[in-house]
Amino acid sequence: MIPLPLATLNQYISAERTNRFKAAKIKHNATNIAKMFTVKAIREGVTFRWGVPLRFDWYCADKRSDPDNIAFQHKFVFDGMMAAGFLENDNWAHIVELNDRFFIDKKRPRVEVYEIGE
């Protein structure tokens, strides 16, 4: 479980167009948040078998962003997982399928990541 928002695609693009350093800061901050919560999950005993499909359950505060804009945040989640040592690489050998589902939770926006059994 990682709290949202990290940054939607539109927010990231806007930051890049304004100032590339602003976009780099967004990426750095979002990756660090994902890393922090990944470390917490590791301490709680969470493990994944990489090379299996993954499901992302996105719980958003509202419907202001389109689902594809929200799912852009995969990048930050995977980078955080790698920074935490949970994921070796976010390449084709490890990430073979992504399934996204979208929900509303005004009180606790977050993303939950699950491996899907074979």
Side-chain angles (χ1 to χ4, degrees), residues 26-60:
I26 287 173
K27 182 180 184 307
H28 177 79
N29 290 341
T31 298
N32 279 340
I33 290 168
K35 176 186 175 184
M36 180 175 62
F37 282 88
T38 300
V39 167
K40 181 179 183 282
I42 292 167
R43 288 184 183 142
E44 293 171 355
V46 173
T47 61
F48 278 20
R49 296 169 295 132
W50 295 105
V52 298
L54 299 176
R55 185 180 81 222
F56 283 69
D57 287 349
W58 302 94
Y59 293 87
C60 302

Side-chain angles (χ1 to χ4, degrees), residues 55-97:
R55 185 180 81 222
F56 283 69
D57 287 349
W58 302 94
Y59 293 87
C60 302
D62 53 47
K63 293 184 177 181
R64 290 185 205 167
S65 292
D66 295 332
D68 61 331
N69 214 333
I70 296 162
F72 161 77
Q73 296 172 98
H74 287 132
K75 177 66 179 159
F76 305 129
V77 172
F78 289 137
D79 287 353
M81 287 178 170
M82 286 189 301
F86 187 70
L87 170 62
E88 181 183 330
N89 197 313
D90 59 353
N91 61 16
W92 289 61
H94 295 87
I95 310 300
V96 298
E97 182 179 332

